[in-house]
Amino acid sequence: MAQPFDAELEELVSKFSRELADQIRALILRRLGIERAPASRPAPRSTPARSAPVSTPTPARTKRAPNRAPATVRAPVSERRHAARPTSEERAAAIERIARIIANGSGLSVGEIERQSGFTRSAVGSALKTLKDQGRIFMGGTKRFARYATTQAAAEQASLEARRGAAA
């Protein structure tokens, strides 16, 4: 009698660990801003039946501020959840692309780098941190006046100009 129970328990633990690993991988990829479509769709999960449907009150709709940009379109959750992990070559290529963008600019903000590269803000931030740690780029200023350049003097100068432009 113990054999069928052990086999079923082992199967459940294995399934749970695979699902947990997939969820952790998806979370890391979202955090890095690197998302790719899955190679194949996983089998749909079965959900346990409920005795009675639970109704939750719907929150009141809020109006979007008129000067706020529209939300970006993201892949469906099912595709993001099972995205493949980027290879080290893909990450290195993204870092090099951002390094070239900064080298061709004269003190760029994170938003400008994001628009020129096409990467998400978190992917750009991750690449900027790597490049700063390697000593290949420098940051001048803080918060919304932070600018990135290949020299510390250029980054500081761009930050000062951004501050002056905001004050005018």
Side-chain angles (χ1 to χ4, degrees):
M1 187 86 181
Q3 290 292 54
F5 175 78
D6 291 341
E8 187 177 351
L9 180 61
E10 186 176 324
E11 182 182 338
L12 285 172
V13 168
S14 176
K15 180 181 176 185
F16 175 75
S17 63
R18 280 192 306 272
E19 289 176 359
L20 182 61
D22 288 343
Q23 290 175 357
I24 291 171
R25 183 181 309 113
L27 177 66
I28 291 170
L29 291 174
R30 276 197 314 274
R31 181 73 174 132
L32 293 174
I34 303 170
E35 301 170 8
R36 295 192 312 177
S40 64
R41 291 198 174 257
R45 294 185 211 173
S46 61
T47 56
R50 291 189 193 178
S51 58
V54 177
S55 65
T56 57
T58 56
R61 294 192 82 134
T62 58
K63 289 187 178 181
R64 182 183 296 266
N67 62 348
R68 189 170 168 186
T72 57
V73 177
R74 295 179 67 180
V77 174
S78 61
E79 291 179 13
R80 285 184 277 135
R81 186 172 290 144
H82 300 288
R85 182 177 295 216
T87 64
S88 58
E89 292 85 16
E90 290 170 335
R91 180 159 165 66
I95 291 171
E96 289 306 314
R97 182 173 174 185
I98 290 174
R100 280 194 308 274
I101 289 170
I102 294 171
N104 292 333
S106 57
L108 300 171
S109 68
V110 174
E112 292 167 333
I113 297 167
E114 184 181 350
R115 282 188 291 280
Q116 289 182 27
S117 68
F119 295 127
T120 62
R121 186 167 292 264
S122 60
V124 169
S126 176
L128 289 174
K129 181 179 183 329
T130 300
L131 290 167
K132 283 192 304 184
D133 291 346
Q134 293 173 353
R136 296 174 59 188
I137 64 167
F138 298 90
M139 182 179 94
T142 58
K143 299 183 181 179
R144 72 179 205 174
F145 299 112
R147 298 295 182 266
Y148 297 88
T150 53
T151 65
Q152 186 67 50
E156 291 292 338
Q157 182 63 35
S159 177
L160 286 173
E161 289 173 9
R163 226 175 250 287
R164 286 187 197 122

